[in-house]
Amino acid sequence: MLFLISVSPLLNAQNTVSPYSIFGPGEIQNGGFGSNLGMGGAGIALESNNSLNALNPASFAGMDSLKLIFEFGLQGKMYNISNSNQSLSGFEANLAYFALGFKYTSWMAGSFGMTPFSSVGYSINRVNYIEGMNEQYTSNYVGSGGITRFYFANAIKLLRKLSIGINTSYLFGPLVQEEYITGSSIVPEMMIERKDYLRSFYFDFGLQYQFNIARTEYSLGLTYAPEQSLNSKHIVTAYDSDYSIIQGEEYNSDHLVIPQIIGTGIGITRERAKLAIDYTFQQWSEVEYPIQADQFANSHRFAVGLELTPWEHRAINPGYKNWTYRIGYNHESSYLKFDNKTLSSNEFTIGAGIPLYGAISNMDLSISGGTFGSTSGHFTKERYLMFNLGFSLNEMAFIKRVID
Amino acid sequence: MVSLGDNYINNQTNVALIDTISVQLSTVKIDSIPTSESEYLLCGSYTDSDFGNVAATAYAQIGMPTAEIDDDEIFDSIVVCMHYSGMSYGDTLLPQTIQAHRVIDDIEPSDDYDAEPYLYNTTDKRYNLLPLGSITIVPKPNFHDTLTIRLSDELGLEFLSYLRDEDDEFDSTTEFLDYFKGIALVAGNENNSVLGFNADTSFQIRLYTHLVEATKVNKTYSFKYESASLNHYNKVLNNVSGTYLEQAVTQREEIPSAETNNCSFLQGSLGYTTRLDFPGISKIFEVEYKNILYKAELVLKPMPGTYSNNQEELPPDLLLYYTDKKNNVVSAVSDADGNTLYGTMYYDEFYNEYTQYVFDITEYIYEELSDGYVDPEDGLLVMLPEADYGGTLDNLVFDGRSLANYRPKLKLYYVFYE
């Protein structure tokens, strides 16, 4: 646990600057490790072979036998956020995830690790009318923080072809909103701080099924997470203009709701090519947060990714011939819907997997370029380039122990 | 940061003005008002539609002159002089008779009042019914400085002879006051206004004499009022029969505005004050949302038509006193800094609608709410400043109607948040 606490600030350094992160738990991160990131985030149906696939807890059962896999990833993001009259650019970098995967037996495997679950960063001004008077005042909402997920997943192979997995996560971290009220002759200058210290379990489940038709391997994946309310310690504190506390309240809350999420995927592997297609559905229409002015919409996400190993692996090959190449695309019609306009995102990715220490370990590089939102009306549009650097380090640890 | 259109989010905080807690007005007549500390002498009578026939009698001691007198001085005349303070009530265009009488009781606070040595508006001191002098004038308090009333020569000759003989009566002020207890300025039968005079050394008896030497030498001896060492007070009474205020008899019993034509009254020397009650104030505790009550304002409006369109008819300074079940005047209400809280007057030159007094009673409301219980017997009294009310007939009629634009209001400013 001490380990968790010491590393979590690194993950929380993730600093979303999207105004859209004001809604709900913030911007939910799609997850996925190095190889998934190069394939447009697709991979619900793919097994964890030499590297871990966190998109589906059932995938861990597919880890190559008796291996210990350590994964970690770094992320850098160049972004530009603009609306019809403003623009903001920046760069941020942080440790994105780390995880350990291990096989208990030939039919059972597990993994634990830490990944960002959601992140928050916004500053929004809102002009309000004083009830009972024809006077205005301004609130500036500033949000920060994010939820970190510590997961522990276990998967078993039921039949040779069917794997199931259960992922138990502990979500923690602060979500902070500071509301600065601009003072006037009528309204006092004050600040209202709303904090949620998340400390909640979260569960999701997965299935994978593999079959062959001729020389083509097919796999099907399914993930499911029921709607879950997250427990948090909710602290509301009102400060006056001198930052002295006027009033405060602290209570346990479960107002943060993560909707039901269903993911499906198909994987097709033939010779040195692997294709993954995912569809994820999030039932946001059932979820309400007090700050949203409109209903959320259900979100739909399509992702497709292709992984190619063009040349057969040989020790004498020049380096690039032993690389794995990836390309991907995803489109999401998000849960944010305003004035009957649904905000959507598009992202293209390219990546490469570079073997380290022979074929045992990998370094995965990828670049994603994407957009989210729109500059029309009162919306903002985010454009970004994301650089991912992931490592999958494999050890024959279990074998050694057996020999001892 | 780039901001999102704010119409896509709901505000988490609401600032609201709530003025639905009713303010109940009633009139209290304070049993007695100390008038001996005021800076003014009031004399005259007039009839007011609200306060009935108001009659004021000023009482003042005078000191003795210090100058030496010559045996050969010859009496000329004796007068009492006073300076107009400038204030007047009633109709000053009509003739007014003022009589100066010799007081026969000591103008001293009664021994019964061991706590506060005051003389009150209700204090009665006898005076010689035969006036020393009188004058009938059409007063011009804002034009003339001084009013002079010729007194009887008899008094002048008496003073002169005592002075000349160095009699005991002029040995010391104490002995002089024992002999000449003071002057009462009494309204005569023909009266249509009350006039104010300064209660300072300008109030004096002047004895004029002359000495025949090579030429005639005129001499004057002044018997002055000294506020530091001598007493004065105003007796102020009214006859309310036939007016709404007929009901206000004892201090213990306040008269709700509903019984006095939906108004309430305030008047200086007669002791009328307006009591305020907030019968629904405990509703504040029933607010369900998280809230910060950051300001409370009390708004009182003068009844339109009870003052002519002239700001000067409205008392500029009003303050609030804590009061209890028996309408006792407890102590003045303070603001957050501990200073006495005064209302701010807004005068609407064009429409009466916005003429109002606004009191920031945030501190008072905080105090009332601090222990989680509001005593329904607690209330407030609206009064003139203590330094003023014993020497003024300034008055105000508050609007107690339930019309949205006129009613007295308790404005509570809230921040509601979630």
Side-chain angles (χ1 to χ4, degrees):
Chain A
M1 229 25 216
L2 194 68
F3 177 62
L4 286 187
I5 291 160
S6 62
V7 177
S8 61
L10 287 172
L11 295 175
N12 282 334
Q14 169 107 3
N15 192 13
T16 300
V17 284
S18 166
Y20 300 120
S21 66
I22 193 171
F23 297 104
E27 280 194 325
I28 293 186
Q29 310 293 311
N30 279 311
F33 294 159
S35 55
N36 303 118
L37 290 167
M39 296 173 72
I44 289 173
L46 302 183
E47 291 186 287
S48 298
N49 295 320
N50 288 323
S51 59
L52 299 175
N53 173 9
L55 295 176
N56 186 339
S59 78
F60 299 114
M63 273 171 63
D64 283 353
S65 59
L66 303 179
K67 248 186 208 172
L68 186 69
I69 303 179
F70 180 61
E71 292 251 356
F72 69 94
L74 306 170
Q75 198 168 67
K77 188 176 180 184
M78 273 173 65
Y79 59 85
N80 170 272
I81 295 177
S82 59
N83 63 12
S84 48
N85 52 23
Q86 289 170 292
S87 172
L88 172 79
S89 296
F91 179 81
E92 62 188 38
N94 50 273
L95 175 63
Y97 61 86
F98 68 86
L100 199 64
F102 40 86
K103 203 116 184 175
Y104 306 112
T105 68
S106 60
W107 52 273
M108 184 173 185
S111 171
F112 66 82
M114 199 133 52
T115 64
F117 185 80
S118 73
S119 65
V120 170
Y122 57 85
S123 173
I124 297 176
N125 286 326
R126 184 178 160 83
V127 176
N128 304 305
Y129 275 92
I130 299 175
E131 284 173 37
M133 289 181 93
N134 191 24
E135 297 278 347
Q136 290 182 330
Y137 68 97
T138 304
S139 283
N140 175 223
Y141 292 96
V142 178
S144 60
I147 306 176
T148 302
R149 171 207 284 239
F150 173 76
Y151 77 86
F152 180 48
N154 285 291
I156 52 172
K157 260 192 163 33
L158 276 184
L159 310 163
R160 284 191 71 84
K161 294 175 175 178
L162 181 66
S163 312
I164 60 167
I166 298 175
N167 190 10
T168 304
S169 301
Y170 186 70
L171 304 183
F172 60 98
L175 298 177
V176 182
Q177 182 186 80
E178 291 172 339
E179 179 181 1
Y180 295 89
I181 296 173
T182 309
S184 69
S185 58
I186 299 160
V187 178
E189 183 181 330
M190 57 188 291
M191 195 267 274
I192 295 171
E193 184 187 59
R194 301 176 179 90
K195 279 186 185 170
D196 275 293
Y197 284 107
L198 263 289
R199 40 183 195 194
S200 190
F201 283 98
Y202 183 81
F203 300 94
D204 58 291
F205 309 94
L207 275 179
Q208 280 185 346
Y209 182 71
Q210 290 88 22
F211 58 93
N212 289 12
I213 297 177
R215 292 177 59 199
T216 307
E217 287 173 35
Y218 292 89
S219 59
L220 300 174
L222 180 67
T223 57
Y224 176 70
E227 181 180 304
Q228 289 168 68
S229 296
L230 306 184
N231 297 315
S232 68
K233 186 164 74 175
H234 189 67
I235 303 172
V236 185
T237 316
Y239 296 88
D240 67 11
S241 55
D242 304 324
Y243 286 98
S244 316
I245 294 174
I246 312 170
Q247 274 182 13
E249 209 179 332
E250 182 180 321
Y251 54 91
N252 292 324
S253 159
D254 58 355
H255 73 283
L256 290 162
V257 179
I258 308 297
Q260 170 173 274
I261 301 172
I262 298 168
T264 57
I266 301 174
I268 303 168
T269 309
R270 186 167 185 177
E271 292 174 355
R272 290 191 295 275
K274 194 191 277 183
L275 178 71
I277 301 169
D278 285 5
Y279 165 70
T280 309
F281 170 79
Q282 300 187 350
Q283 200 175 11
W284 283 95
S285 62
E286 301 292 312
V287 175
E288 276 187 18
Y289 284 96
I291 200 160
Q292 63 184 100
D294 284 334
Q295 285 280 323
F296 286 146
N298 292 328
S299 83
H300 306 275
R301 184 171 198 265
F302 299 92
V304 56
L306 180 66
E307 183 181 277
L308 294 170
T309 313
W311 299 276
E312 204 168 326
H313 185 92
R314 282 190 188 130
I316 55 160
N317 273 346
Y320 70 90
K321 283 196 170 180
N322 285 342
W323 292 10
T324 309
Y325 296 89
R326 302 185 183 103
I327 185 166
Y329 167 76
N330 65 64
H331 170 84
E332 180 171 353
S333 149
S334 82
Y335 62 101
L336 299 170
K337 187 172 121 186
F338 306 110
D339 303 340
N340 276 324
K341 186 173 164 61
T342 303
L343 299 179
S344 60
S345 69
N346 288 291
E347 186 185 59
F348 287 96
T349 66
I350 53 167
I354 302 167
L356 303 171
Y357 313 120
I360 302 169
S361 299
N362 266 304
M363 178 170 80
D364 295 299
L365 296 167
S366 68
I367 300 175
S368 324
T371 62
F372 177 56
S374 158
T375 50
S376 71
H378 295 286
F379 297 119
T380 65
K381 183 171 192 168
E382 182 182 0
R383 288 177 295 169
Y384 61 87
L385 266 185
M386 189 134 75
F387 304 92
N388 294 293
L389 175 62
F391 291 90
S392 308
L393 305 176
N394 302 344
E395 276 299 334
M396 304 301 238
F398 289 85
I399 290 176
K400 279 178 189 166
R401 192 172 292 170
V402 170
I403 292 168
D404 283 347
Chain B
M1 290 232 176
V2 181
S3 80
L4 178 73
D6 66 0
N7 42 335
Y8 302 130
I9 57 171
N10 289 327
N11 40 334
Q12 306 253 78
T13 302
N14 283 295
V15 179
L17 164 63
I18 292 178
D19 61 1
T20 50
I21 290 178
S22 67
V23 181
Q24 220 165 63
L25 304 183
S26 52
T27 304
V28 170
K29 187 175 191 315
I30 294 183
D31 289 337
S32 51
I33 289 287
T35 59
S36 49
E37 303 298 302
S38 87
E39 292 169 20
Y40 303 107
L41 297 167
L42 298 173
C43 170
S45 76
Y46 77 106
T47 302
D48 182 283
S49 56
D50 295 315
F51 299 97
N53 182 262
V54 181
T57 305
Y59 292 79
Q61 294 177 327
I62 50 168
M64 58 176 195
T66 47
E68 291 291 308
I69 196 159
D70 202 295
D71 285 351
D72 298 329
E73 279 180 40
I74 297 159
F75 170 77
D76 283 333
S77 65
I78 187 166
V79 297
V80 61
C81 314
M82 58 208 86
H83 280 181
Y84 287 109
S85 71
M87 63 184 178
S88 63
Y89 306 90
D91 188 351
T92 52
L93 296 176
L94 294 170
Q96 165 95 357
T97 300
I98 296 176
Q99 299 172 352
H101 290 258
R102 184 168 176 172
V103 178
I104 52 180
D105 287 335
D106 290 327
I107 307 175
E108 295 286 344
S110 155
D111 294 336
D112 301 342
Y113 297 97
D114 48 359
E116 304 280 4
Y118 293 140
L119 293 153
Y120 295 83
N121 66 319
T122 50
T123 306
D124 198 18
K125 298 288 179 190
R126 288 174 302 160
Y127 51 81
N128 209 328
L129 290 177
L130 186 70
L132 292 170
S134 80
I135 192 165
T136 299
I137 44 156
V138 176
K140 290 183 176 150
N142 291 307
F143 183 72
H144 289 131
D145 287 343
T146 312
L147 176 68
T148 305
I149 304 172
R150 176 92 186 252
L151 304 180
S152 76
D153 290 353
E154 209 178 316
L155 179 72
L157 289 166
E158 194 179 304
F159 278 177
L160 188 61
S161 76
Y162 280 135
L163 278 168
R164 204 157 38 202
D165 302 347
E166 295 176 6
D167 275 337
D168 293 346
E169 283 80 356
F170 282 78
D171 259 5
S172 69
T173 305
T174 317
E175 280 179 89
F176 176 73
L177 287 175
D178 218 27
Y179 150 64
F180 190 83
K181 300 186 189 292
I183 297 265
L185 298 174
V186 184
N189 291 331
E190 197 183 351
N191 247 287
N192 296 290
S193 64
V194 172
L195 300 172
F197 303 101
N198 294 333
D200 57 20
T201 51
S202 64
F203 183 81
Q204 53 182 252
I205 284 180
R206 284 191 191 162
L207 175 63
Y208 296 108
T209 63
H210 71 270
L211 201 58
V212 182
E213 293 175 337
T215 56
K216 182 179 167 189
V217 179
N218 289 322
K219 298 187 92 173
T220 307
Y221 297 96
S222 297
F223 299 68
K224 292 178 184 170
Y225 172 77
E226 298 272 359
S227 60
S229 54
L230 300 174
N231 296 328
H232 80 278
Y233 81 98
N234 297 307
K235 180 174 125 183
V236 188
L237 296 173
N238 62 337
N239 181 351
V240 285
S241 57
T243 70
Y244 288 114
L245 288 175
E246 207 171 2
Q247 304 162 80
V249 184
T250 63
Q251 184 168 348
R252 280 161 175 258
E253 229 174 300
E254 68 271 15
I255 311 301
S257 58
E259 292 172 32
T260 52
N261 199 25
N262 290 319
C263 31
S264 72
F265 300 88
L266 177 145
Q267 204 265 14
S269 295
L270 286 169
Y272 290 105
T273 65
T274 284
R275 180 182 166 117
L276 308 172
D277 285 284
F278 310 104
I281 198 167
S282 51
K283 281 182 202 152
I284 290 178
F285 296 120
E286 294 164 17
V287 176
E288 282 175 20
Y289 302 99
K290 277 196 277 294
N291 67 81
I292 297 164
L293 172 59
Y294 65 91
K295 191 174 177 182
E297 274 180 346
L298 173 69
V299 179
L300 300 175
K301 300 203 176 197
M303 183 69 120
T306 60
Y307 55 99
S308 54
N309 285 334
N310 176 3
Q311 187 169 354
E312 283 173 21
E313 279 203 20
L314 294 169
D317 295 323
L318 291 182
L319 59 157
L320 301 172
Y321 282 80
Y322 295 91
T323 191
D324 55 18
K325 186 179 172 180
K326 294 177 179 171
N327 300 321
N328 286 314
V329 183
V330 179
S331 60
V333 174
S334 303
D335 62 16
D337 302 323
N339 300 319
T340 303
L341 175 72
Y342 286 90
T344 308
M345 182 175 80
Y346 296 90
Y347 184 73
D348 180 353
E349 230 176 305
F350 304 104
Y351 311 100
N352 288 334
E353 202 176 325
Y354 298 107
T355 297
Q356 58 191 25
Y357 291 87
V358 178
F359 298 83
D360 183 341
I361 58 166
T362 314
E363 269 318 289
Y364 170 78
I365 294 291
Y366 284 174
E367 263 170 49
E368 287 293 298
L369 301 178
S370 61
D371 52 1
Y373 166 74
V374 182
D375 188 341
E377 312 283 9
D378 285 351
L380 292 172
L381 293 178
V382 189
M383 295 181 75
L384 296 170
E386 194 172 355
D388 294 350
Y389 57 60
T392 181
L393 303 185
D394 281 357
N395 58 74
L396 198 53
V397 182
F398 290 114
D399 198 332
R401 291 176 292 171
S402 50
L403 296 167
N405 288 341
Y406 296 104
R407 67 188 173 88
K409 281 178 193 162
L410 177 60
K411 291 179 162 184
L412 300 175
Y413 294 83
Y414 274 103
V415 174
F416 294 108
Y417 63 101
E418 53 190 341

